[in-house]
Short mmCIF file of all heavy atoms in Angstrom, two decimals:
data_model
loop_
_atom_site.label_atom_id
_atom_site.label_comp_id
_atom_site.label_asym_id
_atom_site.label_seq_id
_atom_site.Cartn_x
_atom_site.Cartn_y
_atom_site.Cartn_z
N HIS A 1385 27.34 -7.72 -2.80
CA HIS A 1385 27.80 -8.55 -3.92
C HIS A 1385 28.95 -7.93 -4.70
O HIS A 1385 29.69 -8.64 -5.39
CB HIS A 1385 26.63 -8.86 -4.86
CG HIS A 1385 25.59 -9.73 -4.24
ND1 HIS A 1385 24.28 -9.75 -4.68
CD2 HIS A 1385 25.65 -10.62 -3.23
CE1 HIS A 1385 23.58 -10.62 -3.94
NE2 HIS A 1385 24.39 -11.16 -3.06
N ASP A 1386 29.12 -6.60 -4.60
CA ASP A 1386 30.24 -5.95 -5.29
C ASP A 1386 31.48 -5.84 -4.41
O ASP A 1386 32.47 -5.20 -4.79
CB ASP A 1386 29.83 -4.58 -5.83
CG ASP A 1386 29.39 -3.61 -4.72
OD1 ASP A 1386 29.46 -3.98 -3.52
OD2 ASP A 1386 28.97 -2.48 -5.05
N GLY A 1387 31.42 -6.44 -3.22
CA GLY A 1387 32.59 -6.47 -2.34
C GLY A 1387 32.61 -5.40 -1.28
O GLY A 1387 33.41 -5.47 -0.34
N LYS A 1388 31.77 -4.39 -1.36
CA LYS A 1388 31.74 -3.32 -0.36
C LYS A 1388 31.18 -3.88 0.96
O LYS A 1388 30.28 -4.73 0.96
CB LYS A 1388 30.86 -2.16 -0.84
CG LYS A 1388 31.31 -1.51 -2.14
CD LYS A 1388 32.55 -0.68 -1.95
CE LYS A 1388 32.87 0.07 -3.25
NZ LYS A 1388 34.12 0.86 -3.14
N PRO A 1389 31.68 -3.42 2.10
CA PRO A 1389 31.19 -3.95 3.39
C PRO A 1389 29.79 -3.48 3.72
O PRO A 1389 29.42 -2.33 3.43
CB PRO A 1389 32.21 -3.41 4.39
CG PRO A 1389 32.77 -2.17 3.75
CD PRO A 1389 32.78 -2.45 2.27
N PHE A 1390 29.01 -4.36 4.33
CA PHE A 1390 27.68 -4.02 4.85
C PHE A 1390 27.86 -3.46 6.25
O PHE A 1390 28.49 -4.10 7.11
CB PHE A 1390 26.80 -5.27 4.87
CG PHE A 1390 25.60 -5.15 5.77
CD1 PHE A 1390 24.53 -4.34 5.43
CD2 PHE A 1390 25.54 -5.85 6.98
CE1 PHE A 1390 23.43 -4.22 6.26
CE2 PHE A 1390 24.45 -5.74 7.82
CZ PHE A 1390 23.38 -4.92 7.46
N THR A 1391 27.31 -2.27 6.51
CA THR A 1391 27.45 -1.63 7.82
C THR A 1391 26.14 -0.97 8.25
O THR A 1391 25.15 -0.97 7.51
CB THR A 1391 28.55 -0.54 7.79
OG1 THR A 1391 28.08 0.57 7.00
CG2 THR A 1391 29.86 -1.08 7.22
N ALA A 1392 26.19 -0.38 9.41
CA ALA A 1392 25.03 0.34 9.95
C ALA A 1392 24.61 1.49 9.04
O ALA A 1392 23.43 1.87 8.99
CB ALA A 1392 25.34 0.87 11.34
N ASP A 1393 25.56 2.05 8.28
CA ASP A 1393 25.23 3.15 7.38
C ASP A 1393 24.19 2.73 6.35
O ASP A 1393 23.34 3.55 5.95
CB ASP A 1393 26.49 3.64 6.66
CG ASP A 1393 27.46 4.37 7.58
OD1 ASP A 1393 26.98 4.98 8.56
OD2 ASP A 1393 28.68 4.30 7.34
N ASP A 1394 24.24 1.48 5.92
CA ASP A 1394 23.26 1.00 4.94
C ASP A 1394 21.86 0.94 5.53
O ASP A 1394 20.87 1.24 4.86
CB ASP A 1394 23.68 -0.39 4.43
CG ASP A 1394 25.01 -0.35 3.69
OD1 ASP A 1394 25.11 0.38 2.70
OD2 ASP A 1394 25.95 -1.05 4.12
N CYS A 1395 21.77 0.56 6.80
CA CYS A 1395 20.46 0.51 7.47
C CYS A 1395 19.89 1.91 7.66
O CYS A 1395 18.70 2.15 7.40
CB CYS A 1395 20.60 -0.18 8.83
SG CYS A 1395 21.10 -1.91 8.74
N VAL A 1396 20.74 2.84 8.10
CA VAL A 1396 20.28 4.21 8.29
C VAL A 1396 19.84 4.80 6.95
O VAL A 1396 18.79 5.46 6.86
CB VAL A 1396 21.39 5.08 8.93
CG1 VAL A 1396 20.96 6.55 8.98
CG2 VAL A 1396 21.72 4.57 10.33
N PHE A 1397 20.61 4.55 5.91
CA PHE A 1397 20.24 5.06 4.60
C PHE A 1397 18.93 4.46 4.11
O PHE A 1397 18.08 5.18 3.56
CB PHE A 1397 21.33 4.78 3.56
CG PHE A 1397 20.86 5.04 2.16
CD1 PHE A 1397 20.74 6.35 1.69
CD2 PHE A 1397 20.46 3.99 1.33
CE1 PHE A 1397 20.25 6.60 0.41
CE2 PHE A 1397 19.96 4.25 0.06
CZ PHE A 1397 19.86 5.55 -0.41
N THR A 1398 18.75 3.15 4.29
CA THR A 1398 17.50 2.51 3.84
C THR A 1398 16.29 3.16 4.50
O THR A 1398 15.27 3.41 3.85
CB THR A 1398 17.54 1.00 4.16
OG1 THR A 1398 18.62 0.40 3.42
CG2 THR A 1398 16.24 0.32 3.78
N TRP A 1399 16.42 3.48 5.78
CA TRP A 1399 15.34 4.19 6.48
C TRP A 1399 15.11 5.57 5.86
O TRP A 1399 13.97 5.94 5.55
CB TRP A 1399 15.70 4.34 7.96
CG TRP A 1399 14.97 5.45 8.66
CD1 TRP A 1399 13.62 5.55 8.85
CD2 TRP A 1399 15.54 6.64 9.23
NE1 TRP A 1399 13.31 6.72 9.50
CE2 TRP A 1399 14.48 7.41 9.76
CE3 TRP A 1399 16.85 7.11 9.37
CZ2 TRP A 1399 14.69 8.63 10.39
CZ3 TRP A 1399 17.06 8.33 10.00
CH2 TRP A 1399 15.98 9.07 10.50
N GLU A 1400 16.18 6.34 5.64
CA GLU A 1400 16.03 7.68 5.07
C GLU A 1400 15.42 7.62 3.67
O GLU A 1400 14.57 8.44 3.31
CB GLU A 1400 17.40 8.37 5.00
CG GLU A 1400 18.01 8.68 6.36
CD GLU A 1400 19.43 9.20 6.25
OE1 GLU A 1400 20.09 8.97 5.21
OE2 GLU A 1400 19.91 9.82 7.22
N TYR A 1401 15.85 6.66 2.89
CA TYR A 1401 15.39 6.48 1.51
C TYR A 1401 13.88 6.20 1.47
O TYR A 1401 13.13 6.83 0.73
CB TYR A 1401 16.17 5.33 0.89
CG TYR A 1401 15.75 4.87 -0.48
CD1 TYR A 1401 16.28 5.45 -1.62
CD2 TYR A 1401 14.86 3.81 -0.64
CE1 TYR A 1401 15.94 5.01 -2.90
CE2 TYR A 1401 14.50 3.36 -1.91
CZ TYR A 1401 15.04 3.96 -3.03
OH TYR A 1401 14.69 3.52 -4.27
N ILE A 1402 13.43 5.27 2.31
CA ILE A 1402 12.02 4.88 2.31
C ILE A 1402 11.14 5.96 2.92
O ILE A 1402 10.03 6.22 2.45
CB ILE A 1402 11.84 3.55 3.06
CG1 ILE A 1402 12.62 2.43 2.36
CG2 ILE A 1402 10.36 3.17 3.15
CD1 ILE A 1402 12.69 1.14 3.17
N ALA A 1403 11.63 6.60 3.98
CA ALA A 1403 10.82 7.59 4.71
C ALA A 1403 10.62 8.88 3.92
O ALA A 1403 9.71 9.66 4.23
CB ALA A 1403 11.46 7.89 6.06
N ASP A 1404 11.45 9.12 2.91
CA ASP A 1404 11.31 10.33 2.09
C ASP A 1404 10.08 10.17 1.20
O ASP A 1404 10.03 9.30 0.33
CB ASP A 1404 12.56 10.49 1.22
CG ASP A 1404 12.54 11.77 0.40
OD1 ASP A 1404 11.46 12.38 0.25
OD2 ASP A 1404 13.62 12.16 -0.11
N PRO A 1405 9.05 11.02 1.36
CA PRO A 1405 7.83 10.88 0.54
C PRO A 1405 8.10 10.93 -0.96
O PRO A 1405 7.40 10.30 -1.75
CB PRO A 1405 6.97 12.06 1.00
CG PRO A 1405 7.47 12.40 2.36
CD PRO A 1405 8.94 12.12 2.33
N ALA A 1406 9.13 11.68 -1.36
CA ALA A 1406 9.43 11.81 -2.78
C ALA A 1406 9.93 10.50 -3.39
O ALA A 1406 9.83 10.31 -4.60
CB ALA A 1406 10.48 12.91 -2.99
N THR A 1407 10.45 9.61 -2.57
CA THR A 1407 10.88 8.31 -3.07
C THR A 1407 9.67 7.50 -3.53
O THR A 1407 9.77 6.66 -4.41
CB THR A 1407 11.65 7.53 -1.97
OG1 THR A 1407 12.81 8.28 -1.60
CG2 THR A 1407 12.08 6.16 -2.46
N ALA A 1408 8.51 7.74 -2.89
CA ALA A 1408 7.25 7.05 -3.21
C ALA A 1408 7.42 5.54 -3.06
O ALA A 1408 7.15 4.76 -3.97
CB ALA A 1408 6.77 7.40 -4.61
N SER A 1409 7.86 5.14 -1.87
CA SER A 1409 8.05 3.72 -1.58
C SER A 1409 6.78 3.11 -1.02
O SER A 1409 6.06 3.75 -0.24
CB SER A 1409 9.17 3.54 -0.56
OG SER A 1409 9.17 2.23 -0.04
N VAL A 1410 6.51 1.88 -1.40
CA VAL A 1410 5.35 1.17 -0.86
C VAL A 1410 5.53 0.87 0.63
O VAL A 1410 4.57 0.59 1.33
CB VAL A 1410 5.12 -0.13 -1.66
CG1 VAL A 1410 6.19 -1.17 -1.37
CG2 VAL A 1410 3.74 -0.70 -1.41
N SER A 1411 6.77 0.95 1.12
CA SER A 1411 7.07 0.61 2.52
C SER A 1411 7.07 1.82 3.44
O SER A 1411 7.40 1.69 4.62
CB SER A 1411 8.45 -0.06 2.61
OG SER A 1411 8.60 -1.08 1.66
N ILE A 1412 6.69 2.99 2.96
CA ILE A 1412 6.83 4.22 3.75
C ILE A 1412 6.07 4.15 5.07
O ILE A 1412 6.53 4.70 6.08
CB ILE A 1412 6.38 5.45 2.92
CG1 ILE A 1412 6.73 6.74 3.69
CG2 ILE A 1412 4.90 5.38 2.57
CD1 ILE A 1412 6.52 8.01 2.87
N GLY A 1413 4.95 3.45 5.11
CA GLY A 1413 4.18 3.37 6.35
C GLY A 1413 4.94 2.75 7.51
O GLY A 1413 4.71 3.08 8.67
N THR A 1414 5.89 1.88 7.19
CA THR A 1414 6.69 1.22 8.23
C THR A 1414 7.77 2.14 8.78
O THR A 1414 8.14 2.04 9.96
CB THR A 1414 7.34 -0.05 7.64
OG1 THR A 1414 6.31 -1.00 7.34
CG2 THR A 1414 8.33 -0.69 8.61
N TYR A 1415 8.28 3.05 7.95
CA TYR A 1415 9.50 3.79 8.30
C TYR A 1415 9.31 5.27 8.59
O TYR A 1415 10.19 5.91 9.16
CB TYR A 1415 10.52 3.64 7.17
CG TYR A 1415 11.03 2.23 7.01
CD1 TYR A 1415 10.36 1.31 6.21
CD2 TYR A 1415 12.18 1.79 7.66
CE1 TYR A 1415 10.81 0.01 6.06
CE2 TYR A 1415 12.65 0.49 7.52
CZ TYR A 1415 11.96 -0.39 6.72
OH TYR A 1415 12.42 -1.69 6.59
#
Side-chain angles (χ1 to χ4, degrees):
H1385 293 156
D1386 61 4
K1388 300 287 186 182
F1390 161 72
T1391 70
D1393 290 331
D1394 297 301
C1395 296
V1396 174
F1397 168 76
T1398 297
W1399 159 62
E1400 293 173 340
Y1401 173 88
I1402 298 170
D1404 184 343
T1407 299
S1409 166
V1410 71
S1411 312
I1412 189 172
T1414 293
Y1415 293 87

